[in-house]
Amino acid sequence: MPRELIVEYLDGGKRFAALARTVSTSEMDRSPISGQWSPAFIIHHLSDAELHFATRFLRILTEDKPAIQPFDEDVYPSRLNYSQRDPQLSLRSFEAVNKTMADLLSQIPEVDWERQGVHAERGEFPLIAGVKTSRNHVQAHIEQLEQVLQALKAYDAR
């Protein structure tokens, strides 16, 4: 199971990066969907979230039942200056962290997949659950980016 999960985790990262590379410069900061993030904001968010997940994985692997704090993604665009950041740099960061974590996870013993972290809102959870959450998070943002890009194309076709 964990080896399949690593493949899925890495594949999601590759699929997101490939999709993000299709975004043109003129589309990067636009969103025709009210309340929806632009492609650039989605890329920045996924980069920042991947750093959070990686930190959680490292702590679970190296500490006994570390406290895992949630993060408030709603404040990130303003507090982390999404409108001023380079989406290509965020994309490279996302890819590097995703690949690094997949490599690290592929080398841990099976028993480490059950090491626990203690999330402030969700309680105890094993590493494998954290990796599944990260995999699902990437997939959700692939879908979000696809929706924004489709809406941009439909808007521009008018």
Side-chain angles (χ1 to χ4, degrees):
M1 173 66 168
R3 301 303 167 211
E4 282 180 32
L5 179 57
I6 295 167
V7 170
E8 293 170 1
Y9 170 82
L10 188 57
D11 181 61
K14 289 177 183 177
R15 288 185 299 111
F16 178 80
L19 179 61
R21 282 196 178 80
T22 70
V23 180
S24 70
T25 303
S26 65
E27 294 171 323
M28 195 59 77
D29 294 317
R30 296 175 50 216
S31 180
I33 304 171
S34 179
Q36 183 69 267
W37 284 347
S38 67
F41 278 31
I42 296 167
I43 293 167
H44 295 313
H45 167 72
L46 211 50
S47 175
D48 294 341
E50 195 72 2
L51 290 168
H52 275 289
F53 283 117
T55 300
R56 290 174 179 181
F57 302 162
L58 293 172
R59 291 194 62 220
I60 290 170
L61 287 167
T62 61
E63 301 172 29
D64 291 329
K65 292 191 177 183
I68 305 296
Q69 296 301 315
F71 58 95
D72 181 0
E73 68 182 37
D74 293 331
V75 301
Y76 274 40
S78 63
R79 298 293 301 267
L80 299 179
N81 300 312
Y82 279 12
S83 63
Q84 301 302 312
R85 288 172 54 187
D86 179 352
Q88 298 308 319
L89 184 57
S90 288
L91 180 58
R92 288 192 301 273
S93 171
F94 167 80
E95 287 182 286
V97 173
N98 183 265
K99 289 176 184 177
T100 299
M101 293 313 301
D103 180 60
L104 182 147
L105 293 168
S106 71
Q107 309 209 21
I108 64 172
E110 291 285 324
V111 67
D112 281 355
W113 286 94
E114 293 306 318
R115 288 185 61 89
Q116 300 282 317
V118 183
H119 192 278
E121 296 172 349
R122 298 184 192 115
E124 287 188 13
F125 68 95
L127 175 63
I128 194 167
V131 177
K132 287 178 181 179
T133 299
S134 179
R135 174 203 60 197
N136 296 344
H137 183 252
V138 170
Q139 180 58 43
H141 287 295
I142 289 170
E143 293 167 11
Q144 179 188 27
L145 184 55
E146 287 171 340
Q147 290 172 352
V148 169
L149 292 175
Q150 288 173 358
L152 282 169
K153 287 181 186 359
Y155 181 83
D156 289 345
R158 290 199 252 151

